[in-house]
Amino acid sequence: MLFVFPNHTLWDKIRLVDNQYVHYFQQDEHQHLNPCNCYITRSPNYNTYDKEECLKIDVGKENILLIGDSHAAQLSTAFRNALKEDQHLLEMSLSLTFPFPDPKGYDKSVQLWNYFYTEFLPKNENKINKVFISVHWLMNTYEEMNYTPKEIKQGLSQMTALFDSYGLQYYFIGQTELYQVPYRQVALKKMFNPVLDEQQFILDEGQQVNEFLKRIIPEQHYIDIYKHGEIEHNSQEMGMSYMFDKHHLSAFGASQVVDYLLRKEYL
């Protein structure tokens, strides 16, 4: 049954057999996504955005801005760990909307994006050295967002045009894979069946969105990480897979993405 049904609840019992697999099941999600109160979503656990600290400019350092939704938040800790002493991170990880100049979606996120584009960015654009954008674009059909492909294209065009007008150095970190089941279940299954082809558990929607984005965003501003060959999917040392659910990177996965940015001198 376990080999036929990777999402079977019996997989949870593995943690009782061997403690080395504990990180496949237990993830300190709050610390991972929200180390500095710079991520919000519609949840009491992620309801406070510290504007003063998260958007604080350090005039003596290179200011790196990380923006997006939970896919930006998943990179927050890895960015903070990787930055040099003369670099400083600003972050806006706002879920249930897209980081467009004219957004729609979750009220709190929309209000903060409006503040960002009408007040913060015009006042500070010359103090921001680099911008990294990471978004789970497959959220477009979620409840009050309801973005059509045409609206996403329009929003992206507005973003890139505005960033270009300010002369910002910006990079979109591309869409990740989307799995049918939490990836940890595929990883555990593969431990007991090494010849398993994990590609069979990947949904096509992730690749479709990735190709859609590449047609809109200029190549020099797009970092394609979809099915990236340099990103390992499992760490025996950490006892952790590169994702902790169907599409969010774990600490292991996020650190690899940021290491890639460093190797390619994006960061």
Side-chain angles (χ1 to χ4, degrees), residues 174-199:
Q175 181 69 39
T176 57
E177 299 87 61
L178 174 67
Y179 288 87
Q180 299 172 14
V181 297
Y183 179 77
R184 66 176 181 271
Q185 295 178 7
V186 179
L188 287 168
K189 183 178 174 68
K190 197 169 183 178
M191 287 181 185
F192 295 92
N193 182 14
V195 298
L196 176 76
D197 180 11
E198 65 182 52
Q199 302 299 313

PDB file of all heavy atoms in Angstrom, residues 174-199:
ATOM      1  N   GLY A 174      12.023  32.511 -10.448  1.00  0.00           N
ATOM      2  CA  GLY A 174      10.919  31.852 -11.141  1.00  0.00           C
ATOM      3  C   GLY A 174      10.105  30.872 -10.319  1.00  0.00           C
ATOM      4  O   GLY A 174      10.415  30.555  -9.173  1.00  0.00           O
ATOM      5  N   GLN A 175       9.067  30.384 -10.945  1.00  0.00           N
ATOM      6  CA  GLN A 175       8.132  29.439 -10.335  1.00  0.00           C
ATOM      7  C   GLN A 175       8.822  28.122  -9.990  1.00  0.00           C
ATOM      8  O   GLN A 175       9.658  27.628 -10.755  1.00  0.00           O
ATOM      9  CB  GLN A 175       6.970  29.173 -11.292  1.00  0.00           C
ATOM     10  CG  GLN A 175       5.909  28.229 -10.771  1.00  0.00           C
ATOM     11  CD  GLN A 175       5.108  28.841  -9.627  1.00  0.00           C
ATOM     12  OE1 GLN A 175       4.792  30.022  -9.650  1.00  0.00           O
ATOM     13  NE2 GLN A 175       4.786  28.036  -8.636  1.00  0.00           N
ATOM     14  N   THR A 176       8.478  27.566  -8.841  1.00  0.00           N
ATOM     15  CA  THR A 176       8.996  26.257  -8.444  1.00  0.00           C
ATOM     16  C   THR A 176       8.085  25.147  -8.970  1.00  0.00           C
ATOM     17  O   THR A 176       6.999  25.407  -9.493  1.00  0.00           O
ATOM     18  CB  THR A 176       9.064  26.144  -6.910  1.00  0.00           C
ATOM     19  OG1 THR A 176       7.753  26.391  -6.367  1.00  0.00           O
ATOM     20  CG2 THR A 176      10.045  27.153  -6.339  1.00  0.00           C
ATOM     21  N   GLU A 177       8.535  23.913  -8.811  1.00  0.00           N
ATOM     22  CA  GLU A 177       7.702  22.770  -9.161  1.00  0.00           C
ATOM     23  C   GLU A 177       6.474  22.711  -8.246  1.00  0.00           C
ATOM     24  O   GLU A 177       6.515  23.195  -7.114  1.00  0.00           O
ATOM     25  CB  GLU A 177       8.479  21.458  -9.020  1.00  0.00           C
ATOM     26  CG  GLU A 177       9.696  21.357  -9.909  1.00  0.00           C
ATOM     27  CD  GLU A 177      10.925  21.946  -9.269  1.00  0.00           C
ATOM     28  OE1 GLU A 177      11.349  21.460  -8.213  1.00  0.00           O
ATOM     29  OE2 GLU A 177      11.460  22.930  -9.838  1.00  0.00           O
ATOM     30  N   LEU A 178       5.426  22.104  -8.748  1.00  0.00           N
ATOM     31  CA  LEU A 178       4.204  21.875  -7.967  1.00  0.00           C
ATOM     32  C   LEU A 178       3.931  20.379  -7.957  1.00  0.00           C
ATOM     33  O   LEU A 178       3.813  19.759  -9.020  1.00  0.00           O
ATOM     34  CB  LEU A 178       3.021  22.631  -8.588  1.00  0.00           C
ATOM     35  CG  LEU A 178       1.653  22.374  -7.959  1.00  0.00           C
ATOM     36  CD1 LEU A 178       1.600  22.937  -6.532  1.00  0.00           C
ATOM     37  CD2 LEU A 178       0.543  22.995  -8.810  1.00  0.00           C
ATOM     38  N   TYR A 179       3.831  19.797  -6.765  1.00  0.00           N
ATOM     39  CA  TYR A 179       3.633  18.360  -6.626  1.00  0.00           C
ATOM     40  C   TYR A 179       2.183  18.010  -6.302  1.00  0.00           C
ATOM     41  O   TYR A 179       1.448  18.821  -5.733  1.00  0.00           O
ATOM     42  CB  TYR A 179       4.551  17.799  -5.532  1.00  0.00           C
ATOM     43  CG  TYR A 179       6.009  17.762  -5.940  1.00  0.00           C
ATOM     44  CD1 TYR A 179       6.836  18.862  -5.746  1.00  0.00           C
ATOM     45  CD2 TYR A 179       6.553  16.635  -6.547  1.00  0.00           C
ATOM     46  CE1 TYR A 179       8.172  18.838  -6.134  1.00  0.00           C
ATOM     47  CE2 TYR A 179       7.896  16.604  -6.937  1.00  0.00           C
ATOM     48  CZ  TYR A 179       8.690  17.703  -6.723  1.00  0.00           C
ATOM     49  OH  TYR A 179      10.011  17.688  -7.121  1.00  0.00           O
ATOM     50  N   GLN A 180       1.802  16.804  -6.646  1.00  0.00           N
ATOM     51  CA  GLN A 180       0.459  16.316  -6.347  1.00  0.00           C
ATOM     52  C   GLN A 180       0.253  16.134  -4.848  1.00  0.00           C
ATOM     53  O   GLN A 180      -0.858  16.297  -4.339  1.00  0.00           O
ATOM     54  CB  GLN A 180       0.209  14.967  -7.035  1.00  0.00           C
ATOM     55  CG  GLN A 180       0.302  14.985  -8.538  1.00  0.00           C
ATOM     56  CD  GLN A 180       0.229  13.585  -9.126  1.00  0.00           C
ATOM     57  OE1 GLN A 180      -0.143  12.637  -8.448  1.00  0.00           O
ATOM     58  NE2 GLN A 180       0.591  13.455 -10.389  1.00  0.00           N
ATOM     59  N   VAL A 181       1.318  15.749  -4.160  1.00  0.00           N
ATOM     60  CA  VAL A 181       1.295  15.510  -2.723  1.00  0.00           C
ATOM     61  C   VAL A 181       2.486  16.250  -2.116  1.00  0.00           C
ATOM     62  O   VAL A 181       3.411  16.639  -2.834  1.00  0.00           O
ATOM     63  CB  VAL A 181       1.396  13.999  -2.395  1.00  0.00           C
ATOM     64  CG1 VAL A 181       0.202  13.245  -2.947  1.00  0.00           C
ATOM     65  CG2 VAL A 181       2.694  13.407  -2.952  1.00  0.00           C
ATOM     66  N   PRO A 182       2.496  16.492  -0.811  1.00  0.00           N
ATOM     67  CA  PRO A 182       3.682  17.101  -0.198  1.00  0.00           C
ATOM     68  C   PRO A 182       4.943  16.335  -0.590  1.00  0.00           C
ATOM     69  O   PRO A 182       4.973  15.103  -0.507  1.00  0.00           O
ATOM     70  CB  PRO A 182       3.390  16.996   1.307  1.00  0.00           C
ATOM     71  CG  PRO A 182       1.901  17.031   1.391  1.00  0.00           C
ATOM     72  CD  PRO A 182       1.419  16.275   0.176  1.00  0.00           C
ATOM     73  N   TYR A 183       5.969  17.060  -1.005  1.00  0.00           N
ATOM     74  CA  TYR A 183       7.153  16.404  -1.554  1.00  0.00           C
ATOM     75  C   TYR A 183       7.799  15.447  -0.566  1.00  0.00           C
ATOM     76  O   TYR A 183       8.397  14.445  -0.963  1.00  0.00           O
ATOM     77  CB  TYR A 183       8.184  17.425  -2.034  1.00  0.00           C
ATOM     78  CG  TYR A 183       9.420  16.726  -2.571  1.00  0.00           C
ATOM     79  CD1 TYR A 183       9.399  16.136  -3.829  1.00  0.00           C
ATOM     80  CD2 TYR A 183      10.555  16.577  -1.784  1.00  0.00           C
ATOM     81  CE1 TYR A 183      10.495  15.427  -4.302  1.00  0.00           C
ATOM     82  CE2 TYR A 183      11.656  15.882  -2.250  1.00  0.00           C
ATOM     83  CZ  TYR A 183      11.620  15.306  -3.510  1.00  0.00           C
ATOM     84  OH  TYR A 183      12.698  14.596  -3.970  1.00  0.00           O
ATOM     85  N   ARG A 184       7.700  15.722   0.726  1.00  0.00           N
ATOM     86  CA  ARG A 184       8.329  14.836   1.713  1.00  0.00           C
ATOM     87  C   ARG A 184       7.817  13.407   1.582  1.00  0.00           C
ATOM     88  O   ARG A 184       8.556  12.451   1.841  1.00  0.00           O
ATOM     89  CB  ARG A 184       8.082  15.365   3.128  1.00  0.00           C
ATOM     90  CG  ARG A 184       6.623  15.344   3.556  1.00  0.00           C
ATOM     91  CD  ARG A 184       6.460  15.785   5.002  1.00  0.00           C
ATOM     92  NE  ARG A 184       5.067  15.730   5.401  1.00  0.00           N
ATOM     93  CZ  ARG A 184       4.199  16.724   5.260  1.00  0.00           C
ATOM     94  NH1 ARG A 184       4.616  17.862   4.702  1.00  0.00           N
ATOM     95  NH2 ARG A 184       2.950  16.602   5.657  1.00  0.00           N
ATOM     96  N   GLN A 185       6.564  13.258   1.158  1.00  0.00           N
ATOM     97  CA  GLN A 185       6.008  11.919   0.988  1.00  0.00           C
ATOM     98  C   GLN A 185       6.664  11.208  -0.198  1.00  0.00           C
ATOM     99  O   GLN A 185       6.946  10.011  -0.142  1.00  0.00           O
ATOM    100  CB  GLN A 185       4.492  12.006   0.797  1.00  0.00           C
ATOM    101  CG  GLN A 185       3.767  12.544   2.023  1.00  0.00           C
ATOM    102  CD  GLN A 185       2.269  12.660   1.808  1.00  0.00           C
ATOM    103  OE1 GLN A 185       1.740  12.219   0.790  1.00  0.00           O
ATOM    104  NE2 GLN A 185       1.590  13.261   2.760  1.00  0.00           N
ATOM    105  N   VAL A 186       6.927  11.976  -1.257  1.00  0.00           N
ATOM    106  CA  VAL A 186       7.626  11.406  -2.408  1.00  0.00           C
ATOM    107  C   VAL A 186       9.053  11.030  -2.013  1.00  0.00           C
ATOM    108  O   VAL A 186       9.560   9.964  -2.382  1.00  0.00           O
ATOM    109  CB  VAL A 186       7.643  12.411  -3.574  1.00  0.00           C
ATOM    110  CG1 VAL A 186       8.382  11.834  -4.777  1.00  0.00           C
ATOM    111  CG2 VAL A 186       6.228  12.813  -3.963  1.00  0.00           C
ATOM    112  N   ALA A 187       9.712  11.907  -1.234  1.00  0.00           N
ATOM    113  CA  ALA A 187      11.091  11.666  -0.821  1.00  0.00           C
ATOM    114  C   ALA A 187      11.207  10.416   0.040  1.00  0.00           C
ATOM    115  O   ALA A 187      12.118   9.595  -0.151  1.00  0.00           O
ATOM    116  CB  ALA A 187      11.619  12.882  -0.065  1.00  0.00           C
ATOM    117  N   LEU A 188      10.308  10.253   0.975  1.00  0.00           N
ATOM    118  CA  LEU A 188      10.337   9.077   1.837  1.00  0.00           C
ATOM    119  C   LEU A 188      10.077   7.805   1.037  1.00  0.00           C
ATOM    120  O   LEU A 188      10.704   6.772   1.252  1.00  0.00           O
ATOM    121  CB  LEU A 188       9.305   9.227   2.952  1.00  0.00           C
ATOM    122  CG  LEU A 188       9.677  10.231   4.044  1.00  0.00           C
ATOM    123  CD1 LEU A 188       8.482  10.526   4.928  1.00  0.00           C
ATOM    124  CD2 LEU A 188      10.839   9.718   4.875  1.00  0.00           C
ATOM    125  N   LYS A 189       9.146   7.900   0.127  1.00  0.00           N
ATOM    126  CA  LYS A 189       8.845   6.748  -0.731  1.00  0.00           C
ATOM    127  C   LYS A 189      10.083   6.356  -1.547  1.00  0.00           C
ATOM    128  O   LYS A 189      10.397   5.183  -1.725  1.00  0.00           O
ATOM    129  CB  LYS A 189       7.676   7.099  -1.650  1.00  0.00           C
ATOM    130  CG  LYS A 189       7.193   5.979  -2.566  1.00  0.00           C
ATOM    131  CD  LYS A 189       6.004   6.455  -3.382  1.00  0.00           C
ATOM    132  CE  LYS A 189       5.571   5.446  -4.414  1.00  0.00           C
ATOM    133  NZ  LYS A 189       5.001   4.221  -3.820  1.00  0.00           N
ATOM    134  N   LYS A 190      10.814   7.391  -2.010  1.00  0.00           N
ATOM    135  CA  LYS A 190      11.994   7.140  -2.837  1.00  0.00           C
ATOM    136  C   LYS A 190      13.126   6.494  -2.038  1.00  0.00           C
ATOM    137  O   LYS A 190      13.958   5.767  -2.596  1.00  0.00           O
ATOM    138  CB  LYS A 190      12.470   8.460  -3.456  1.00  0.00           C
ATOM    139  CG  LYS A 190      13.410   8.294  -4.627  1.00  0.00           C
ATOM    140  CD  LYS A 190      13.614   9.612  -5.345  1.00  0.00           C
ATOM    141  CE  LYS A 190      14.510   9.445  -6.563  1.00  0.00           C
ATOM    142  NZ  LYS A 190      14.679  10.708  -7.308  1.00  0.00           N
ATOM    143  N   MET A 191      13.178   6.756  -0.745  1.00  0.00           N
ATOM    144  CA  MET A 191      14.199   6.129   0.093  1.00  0.00           C
ATOM    145  C   MET A 191      14.079   4.606   0.070  1.00  0.00           C
ATOM    146  O   MET A 191      15.073   3.885   0.140  1.00  0.00           O
ATOM    147  CB  MET A 191      14.078   6.623   1.534  1.00  0.00           C
ATOM    148  CG  MET A 191      14.551   8.045   1.748  1.00  0.00           C
ATOM    149  SD  MET A 191      14.393   8.503   3.488  1.00  0.00           S
ATOM    150  CE  MET A 191      14.873  10.237   3.399  1.00  0.00           C
ATOM    151  N   PHE A 192      12.846   4.142  -0.010  1.00  0.00           N
ATOM    152  CA  PHE A 192      12.616   2.706   0.012  1.00  0.00           C
ATOM    153  C   PHE A 192      12.463   2.127  -1.393  1.00  0.00           C
ATOM    154  O   PHE A 192      12.356   0.926  -1.569  1.00  0.00           O
ATOM    155  CB  PHE A 192      11.368   2.400   0.846  1.00  0.00           C
ATOM    156  CG  PHE A 192      11.532   2.756   2.294  1.00  0.00           C
ATOM    157  CD1 PHE A 192      11.147   4.005   2.755  1.00  0.00           C
ATOM    158  CD2 PHE A 192      12.107   1.872   3.171  1.00  0.00           C
ATOM    159  CE1 PHE A 192      11.318   4.349   4.086  1.00  0.00           C
ATOM    160  CE2 PHE A 192      12.281   2.193   4.506  1.00  0.00           C
ATOM    161  CZ  PHE A 192      11.881   3.447   4.968  1.00  0.00           C
ATOM    162  N   ASN A 193      12.469   3.025  -2.388  1.00  0.00           N
ATOM    163  CA  ASN A 193      12.372   2.594  -3.782  1.00  0.00           C
ATOM    164  C   ASN A 193      13.209   3.554  -4.626  1.00  0.00           C
ATOM    165  O   ASN A 193      12.674   4.438  -5.287  1.00  0.00           O
ATOM    166  CB  ASN A 193      10.906   2.599  -4.231  1.00  0.00           C
ATOM    167  CG  ASN A 193      10.744   2.105  -5.656  1.00  0.00           C
ATOM    168  OD1 ASN A 193      11.659   1.512  -6.233  1.00  0.00           O
ATOM    169  ND2 ASN A 193       9.576   2.362  -6.245  1.00  0.00           N
ATOM    170  N   PRO A 194      14.529   3.420  -4.593  1.00  0.00           N
ATOM    171  CA  PRO A 194      15.435   4.391  -5.220  1.00  0.00           C
ATOM    172  C   PRO A 194      15.196   4.618  -6.708  1.00  0.00           C
ATOM    173  O   PRO A 194      15.578   5.662  -7.241  1.00  0.00           O
ATOM    174  CB  PRO A 194      16.824   3.780  -4.981  1.00  0.00           C
ATOM    175  CG  PRO A 194      16.646   2.888  -3.800  1.00  0.00           C
ATOM    176  CD  PRO A 194      15.260   2.337  -3.919  1.00  0.00           C
ATOM    177  N   VAL A 195      14.598   3.670  -7.403  1.00  0.00           N
ATOM    178  CA  VAL A 195      14.382   3.838  -8.842  1.00  0.00           C
ATOM    179  C   VAL A 195      13.087   4.600  -9.140  1.00  0.00           C
ATOM    180  O   VAL A 195      12.749   4.822 -10.302  1.00  0.00           O
ATOM    181  CB  VAL A 195      14.357   2.464  -9.563  1.00  0.00           C
ATOM    182  CG1 VAL A 195      15.692   1.755  -9.390  1.00  0.00           C
ATOM    183  CG2 VAL A 195      13.212   1.608  -9.057  1.00  0.00           C
ATOM    184  N   LEU A 196      12.383   5.002  -8.104  1.00  0.00           N
ATOM    185  CA  LEU A 196      11.136   5.742  -8.297  1.00  0.00           C
ATOM    186  C   LEU A 196      11.386   7.018  -9.101  1.00  0.00           C
ATOM    187  O   LEU A 196      12.314   7.771  -8.816  1.00  0.00           O
ATOM    188  CB  LEU A 196      10.531   6.107  -6.940  1.00  0.00           C
ATOM    189  CG  LEU A 196       9.265   6.972  -6.982  1.00  0.00           C
ATOM    190  CD1 LEU A 196       8.070   6.124  -7.390  1.00  0.00           C
ATOM    191  CD2 LEU A 196       9.015   7.623  -5.630  1.00  0.00           C
ATOM    192  N   ASP A 197      10.552   7.282 -10.095  1.00  0.00           N
ATOM    193  CA  ASP A 197      10.634   8.509 -10.883  1.00  0.00           C
ATOM    194  C   ASP A 197       9.727   9.559 -10.250  1.00  0.00           C
ATOM    195  O   ASP A 197       8.506   9.508 -10.391  1.00  0.00           O
ATOM    196  CB  ASP A 197      10.204   8.237 -12.328  1.00  0.00           C
ATOM    197  CG  ASP A 197      10.281   9.486 -13.196  1.00  0.00           C
ATOM    198  OD1 ASP A 197      10.869  10.491 -12.735  1.00  0.00           O
ATOM    199  OD2 ASP A 197       9.739   9.466 -14.313  1.00  0.00           O
ATOM    200  N   GLU A 198      10.332  10.509  -9.544  1.00  0.00           N
ATOM    201  CA  GLU A 198       9.517  11.509  -8.857  1.00  0.00           C
ATOM    202  C   GLU A 198       8.827  12.473  -9.817  1.00  0.00           C
ATOM    203  O   GLU A 198       7.902  13.189  -9.420  1.00  0.00           O
ATOM    204  CB  GLU A 198      10.362  12.290  -7.855  1.00  0.00           C
ATOM    205  CG  GLU A 198      11.454  13.139  -8.457  1.00  0.00           C
ATOM    206  CD  GLU A 198      12.272  13.845  -7.381  1.00  0.00           C
ATOM    207  OE1 GLU A 198      12.746  13.166  -6.449  1.00  0.00           O
ATOM    208  OE2 GLU A 198      12.418  15.077  -7.485  1.00  0.00           O
ATOM    209  N   GLN A 199       9.251  12.477 -11.085  1.00  0.00           N
ATOM    210  CA  GLN A 199       8.621  13.368 -12.056  1.00  0.00           C
ATOM    211  C   GLN A 199       7.128  13.050 -12.231  1.00  0.00           C
ATOM    212  O   GLN A 199       6.342  13.931 -12.598  1.00  0.00           O
ATOM    213  CB  GLN A 199       9.319  13.249 -13.418  1.00  0.00           C
ATOM    214  CG  GLN A 199      10.807  13.561 -13.387  1.00  0.00           C
ATOM    215  CD  GLN A 199      11.098  14.975 -12.942  1.00  0.00           C
ATOM    216  OE1 GLN A 199      10.477  15.922 -13.411  1.00  0.00           O
ATOM    217  NE2 GLN A 199      12.037  15.133 -12.019  1.00  0.00           N
TER     218      GLN A 199
END
